[in-house]
Amino acid sequence: VQLVESGGGLVQTGGSLRLSCEASGFTFDSYAIGWLRQAPGKEREGLACISTGNGVTFYTDSAKGRFAISSDNARNTIYLQMNNLTPEDTAVYYCAALPLLSLSPAQAMGVLAKGFGSWGQGTHVAVSS
Protein backbone atom coordinates (compact mmCIF):
# COMPACT_ATOMS: atom_id res chain seq x y z
CA VAL A 1 0.00 0.00 0.00
CA GLN A 2 1.38 3.36 -0.99
CA LEU A 3 -0.23 6.75 -0.41
CA VAL A 4 1.24 10.02 -1.65
CA GLU A 5 -0.23 13.34 -0.54
CA SER A 6 0.18 16.60 -2.39
CA GLY A 7 -1.38 20.04 -2.60
CA GLY A 8 -0.25 21.57 0.67
CA GLY A 9 1.28 25.01 0.91
CA LEU A 10 0.95 28.48 2.36
CA VAL A 11 -2.41 30.23 2.14
CA GLN A 12 -3.92 33.32 3.73
CA THR A 13 -6.79 33.24 6.19
CA GLY A 14 -10.04 32.69 4.33
CA GLY A 15 -8.33 30.93 1.45
CA SER A 16 -8.82 27.44 0.06
CA LEU A 17 -6.67 24.44 -0.78
CA ARG A 18 -7.34 21.08 -2.37
CA LEU A 19 -5.23 18.21 -1.13
CA SER A 20 -4.75 15.05 -3.18
CA CYS A 21 -3.92 11.53 -2.06
CA GLU A 22 -2.79 9.17 -4.83
CA ALA A 23 -3.08 5.52 -3.85
CA SER A 24 -1.45 2.41 -5.26
CA GLY A 25 -0.72 -1.17 -4.34
CA PHE A 26 -4.20 -2.23 -3.27
CA THR A 27 -7.72 -2.71 -4.55
CA PHE A 28 -8.81 0.90 -4.43
CA ASP A 29 -12.56 0.39 -4.32
CA SER A 30 -12.60 -1.81 -1.21
CA TYR A 31 -10.96 0.54 1.25
CA ALA A 32 -11.83 3.36 3.57
CA ILE A 33 -9.50 6.30 3.06
CA GLY A 34 -9.38 9.17 5.47
CA TRP A 35 -7.75 12.54 5.95
CA LEU A 36 -6.18 13.38 9.29
CA ARG A 37 -3.93 16.14 10.52
CA GLN A 38 -1.45 16.86 13.25
CA ALA A 39 -0.53 20.35 14.35
CA PRO A 40 2.68 21.10 16.27
CA GLY A 41 2.27 20.12 19.91
CA LYS A 42 -1.22 18.70 19.35
CA GLU A 43 -2.65 15.24 19.03
CA ARG A 44 -3.47 13.66 15.70
CA GLU A 45 -7.00 14.58 14.60
CA GLY A 46 -9.33 12.84 12.17
CA LEU A 47 -11.14 14.99 9.62
CA ALA A 48 -13.01 12.98 7.01
CA CYS A 49 -13.27 9.47 5.66
CA ILE A 50 -14.75 7.97 2.50
CA SER A 51 -15.67 4.47 1.47
CA THR A 52 -14.22 4.21 -2.01
CA GLY A 53 -16.63 1.46 -2.96
CA ASN A 54 -19.88 3.35 -2.49
CA GLY A 55 -18.79 6.94 -1.83
CA VAL A 56 -20.28 7.13 1.66
CA THR A 57 -18.54 9.82 3.67
CA PHE A 58 -18.04 10.76 7.30
CA TYR A 59 -16.87 14.05 8.75
CA THR A 60 -15.72 14.90 12.22
CA ASP A 61 -16.88 18.14 13.81
CA SER A 62 -13.55 19.75 12.89
CA ALA A 63 -14.26 19.27 9.20
CA LYS A 64 -18.03 19.70 8.90
CA GLY A 65 -19.11 22.69 6.85
CA ARG A 66 -15.67 23.70 5.52
CA PHE A 67 -14.02 20.53 4.22
CA ALA A 68 -15.21 18.06 1.59
CA ILE A 69 -13.76 14.65 0.82
CA SER A 70 -14.22 13.06 -2.58
CA SER A 71 -12.90 10.13 -4.58
CA ASP A 72 -11.91 9.70 -8.21
CA ASN A 73 -11.76 5.93 -8.54
CA ALA A 74 -10.53 6.13 -12.15
CA ARG A 75 -7.43 7.95 -10.89
CA ASN A 76 -7.14 6.07 -7.56
CA THR A 77 -7.10 9.46 -5.89
CA ILE A 78 -8.84 10.96 -2.87
CA TYR A 79 -9.25 14.70 -2.48
CA LEU A 80 -9.84 17.02 0.46
CA GLN A 81 -11.25 20.40 -0.49
CA MET A 82 -10.63 22.86 2.34
CA ASN A 83 -12.36 26.25 2.39
CA ASN A 84 -12.32 29.29 4.65
CA LEU A 85 -9.03 28.28 6.22
CA THR A 86 -7.79 29.82 9.46
CA PRO A 87 -4.41 29.71 11.24
CA GLU A 88 -5.86 26.94 13.44
CA ASP A 89 -5.84 24.72 10.34
CA THR A 90 -2.05 24.87 10.14
CA ALA A 91 -0.82 21.27 10.38
CA VAL A 92 0.64 18.34 8.51
CA TYR A 93 -2.18 16.62 6.67
CA TYR A 94 -2.09 12.88 6.09
CA CYS A 95 -4.20 10.43 4.18
CA ALA A 96 -4.52 6.91 5.54
CA ALA A 97 -6.17 3.76 4.25
CA LEU A 98 -7.80 0.76 5.85
CA PRO A 99 -9.49 -2.30 4.33
CA LEU A 100 -13.16 -1.53 4.67
CA LEU A 101 -14.32 -5.04 5.65
CA SER A 102 -17.55 -4.40 7.58
CA LEU A 103 -16.63 -1.00 8.97
CA SER A 104 -18.57 2.14 8.26
CA PRO A 105 -16.56 5.24 7.28
CA ALA A 106 -17.24 6.62 10.77
CA GLN A 107 -15.82 3.49 12.39
CA ALA A 108 -12.87 3.49 9.99
CA MET A 109 -12.15 7.11 10.93
CA GLY A 110 -11.90 6.07 14.56
CA VAL A 111 -9.49 3.24 13.75
CA LEU A 112 -7.32 5.44 11.54
CA ALA A 113 -7.20 8.18 14.20
CA LYS A 114 -5.58 5.65 16.54
CA GLY A 115 -2.73 5.29 14.05
CA PHE A 116 -3.72 2.03 12.40
CA GLY A 117 -3.80 1.42 8.65
CA SER A 118 -1.39 2.56 5.97
CA TRP A 119 -0.27 6.19 5.93
CA GLY A 120 1.25 8.63 3.50
CA GLN A 121 4.17 10.89 4.30
CA GLY A 122 2.00 13.97 4.82
CA THR A 123 1.72 17.39 3.21
CA HIS A 124 2.17 20.60 5.16
CA VAL A 125 -0.50 23.29 5.24
CA ALA A 126 0.26 26.70 6.70
CA VAL A 127 -2.37 29.41 7.03
CA SER A 128 -1.19 32.94 7.66
CA SER A 129 -3.21 35.53 9.54
Side-chain angles (χ1 to χ4, degrees), residues 13-29:
T13 294
S16 298
L17 282 174
R18 188 177 80 156
L19 306 183
S20 299
C21 170
E22 186 172 351
S24 61
F26 61 97
T27 305
F28 186 77
D29 62 359

Side-chain angles (χ1 to χ4, degrees), residues 18-117:
R18 188 177 80 156
L19 306 183
S20 299
C21 170
E22 186 172 351
S24 61
F26 61 97
T27 305
F28 186 77
D29 62 359
S30 62
Y31 270 63
I33 301 181
W35 284 99
L36 305 94
R37 68 185 179 187
Q38 188 160 22
K42 294 188 177 181
E43 293 187 356
R44 179 173 43 233
E45 176 184 34
L47 297 170
C49 190
I50 187 167
S51 167
T52 54
N54 58 19
V56 174
T57 60
F58 169 78
Y59 295 91
T60 66
D61 288 343
S62 295
K64 284 179 184 176
R66 295 190 300 129
F67 295 177
I69 189 170
S70 61
S71 173
D72 184 342
N73 287 26
R75 289 183 167 84
N76 283 10
T77 300
I78 298 292
Y79 303 98
L80 184 69
Q81 177 68 42
M82 305 189 296
N83 299 322
N84 195 22
L85 290 164
T86 73
E88 287 69 38
D89 295 312
T90 295
V92 179
Y93 285 69
Y94 300 90
C95 64
L98 193 69
L100 194 56
L101 302 177
S102 59
L103 296 175
S104 69
Q107 292 169 322
M109 184 85 272
V111 174
L112 292 171
K114 291 181 171 64
F116 295 104

